[in-house]
């Protein structure tokens, strides 16, 4: 998953980015509304974590423009405001959830998972396809009585395919989901990760198929 973190507190931003990166997510950081607007114009995100009090304005104005533009990317607001009216106002503006500062990182991570589950129409972190069970929280896959632990980027890659079985994803899209702008890797890295996943999916009927000239898709093995 690729997240945009809009937060002007450098220490908090570094801690959050590091925490999500450990789980294999890509986090782009913007410390002001101007950079956040630029980031959303140039990159598609799976989730936005939005602070309210920013040096060049109020995050609520960003949220209002974000929804007015029919941008479906979910937004979780990080706010120091604890009044009920503030929280109601944020939800009415289009926030998908909020968390009040200071917060526990594990609670934020759980809220992120809940928002993304709702977006994908899933009720639980574990999903199934073609005899394959996949827990996106733990990175554990199970099939035919065999279980295996995926590495972080393998987990994030399989998460993309599980979100839309049968849909073709280009190499550039997968690169965008797995690597940040600062990662010095080529698209060949995607071939490596797809190859690893294929081997680990072998006990199930699920496989990742190459669609020549277009990319990859997860399908039921024939």
């Amino acid at each position: 998953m690729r997240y945009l973190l809009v937060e002007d507190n450098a220490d908090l931003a570094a801690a959050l980015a590091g925490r999500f990166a450990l789980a294999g997510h890509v986090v782009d950081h913007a410390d002001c509304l101007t950079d956040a607007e630029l980031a959303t114009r140039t990159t598609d995100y799976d989730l936005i974590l939005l602070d309210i009090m920013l040096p060049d304005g109020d995050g609520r104005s960003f949220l209002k423009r974000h929804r007015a533009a029919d941008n479906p990317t979910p937004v979780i607001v990080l706010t120091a405001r604890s009044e009920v009216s503030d929280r109601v106002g944020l939800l009415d503006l289009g926030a998908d959830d909020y968390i009040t500062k200071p917060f526990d990182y594990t609670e934020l991570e759980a809220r992120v998972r809940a928002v993304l589950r709702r977006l994908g129409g899933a009720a639980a972190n574990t999903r199934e396809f073609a005899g394959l069970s996949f827990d996106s929280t733990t990175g554990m896959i199970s099939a035919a009585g065999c279980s295996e632990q995926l590495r972080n980027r393998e987990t994030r890659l399989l998460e993309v395919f599980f979100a839309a079985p049968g849909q073709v994803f280009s190499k550039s899209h997968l690169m965008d989901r797995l690597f940040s702008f600062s990662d010095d890797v080529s698209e060949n890295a995607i071939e490596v990760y797809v190859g690893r996943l294929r081997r680990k999916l072998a006990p199930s009927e699920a496989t990742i198929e190459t669609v020549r000239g277009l990319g990859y898709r997860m399908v039921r093995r024939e």
Side-chain angles (χ1 to χ4, degrees), residues 6-13 29-32 51 53-55 101:
V6 188
E7 170 61 64
D8 65 327
N9 182 313
D11 291 339
L12 177 59
H29 174 221
D31 62 3
C32 62
D51 186 21
M53 305 301 290
L54 293 159
K101 297 180 181 178

Side-chain angles (χ1 to χ4, degrees), residues 122-138:
N125 292 320
T126 301
R127 287 169 284 178
E128 296 187 354
F129 175 77
L132 176 70
S133 177
F134 170 53
D135 188 328
S136 60
T137 305
T138 63

Side-chain angles (χ1 to χ4, degrees), residues 67-142:
R67 292 308 180 214
D70 289 330
N71 191 323
T73 304
V75 177
I76 296 179
V77 173
L78 317 176
T79 176
R81 299 174 181 270
S82 58
E83 296 296 326
V84 172
S85 58
D86 292 321
R87 301 197 299 268
V88 170
L90 290 168
L91 293 172
D92 284 344
L93 275 179
D96 295 86
D97 200 356
Y98 62 85
I99 190 166
T100 305
K101 297 180 181 178
F103 51 79
D104 188 281
Y105 293 152
T106 57
E107 182 183 354
L108 176 60
E109 290 168 336
R111 288 179 179 274
V112 166
R113 289 194 296 272
V115 166
L116 293 176
R117 276 202 310 272
R118 287 199 298 271
L119 184 68
N125 292 320
T126 301
R127 287 169 284 178
E128 296 187 354
F129 175 77
L132 176 70
S133 177
F134 170 53
D135 188 328
S136 60
T137 305
T138 63
M140 186 69 72
I141 58 172
S142 303

Side-chain angles (χ1 to χ4, degrees), residues 179-195:
F179 300 103
S180 68
F181 298 124
S182 59
D183 289 323
D184 185 19
V185 293
S186 71
E187 289 189 346
N188 291 338
I190 296 300
E191 297 177 14
V192 172
Y193 283 106
V194 166

Side-chain angles (χ1 to χ4, degrees), residues 131-168:
L132 176 70
S133 177
F134 170 53
D135 188 328
S136 60
T137 305
T138 63
M140 186 69 72
I141 58 172
S142 303
C146 300
S147 296
E148 184 152 12
Q149 178 70 55
L150 300 180
R151 296 184 177 182
N152 287 340
R153 281 194 171 129
E154 295 168 353
T155 301
R156 302 286 78 89
L157 181 58
L158 188 56
E159 198 170 35
V160 173
F161 288 118
F162 250 88
Q167 180 176 328
V168 178

Side-chain angles (χ1 to χ4, degrees), residues 1-7 20 26-33 35-41 43-51 62 66 73-76 78 181:
M1 294 286 182
R2 192 178 194 104
Y3 303 155
L4 174 63
L5 171 60
V6 188
E7 170 61 64
F20 285 112
V26 177
V27 179
D28 294 330
H29 174 221
D31 62 3
C32 62
L33 293 179
D35 288 351
E37 298 276 9
L38 179 61
T40 54
R41 285 199 297 270
T43 306
D44 291 327
Y45 290 98
D46 297 295
L47 180 81
I48 297 173
L49 299 166
L50 176 66
D51 186 21
F62 172 91
H66 182 74
T73 304
V75 177
I76 296 179
L78 317 176
F181 298 124

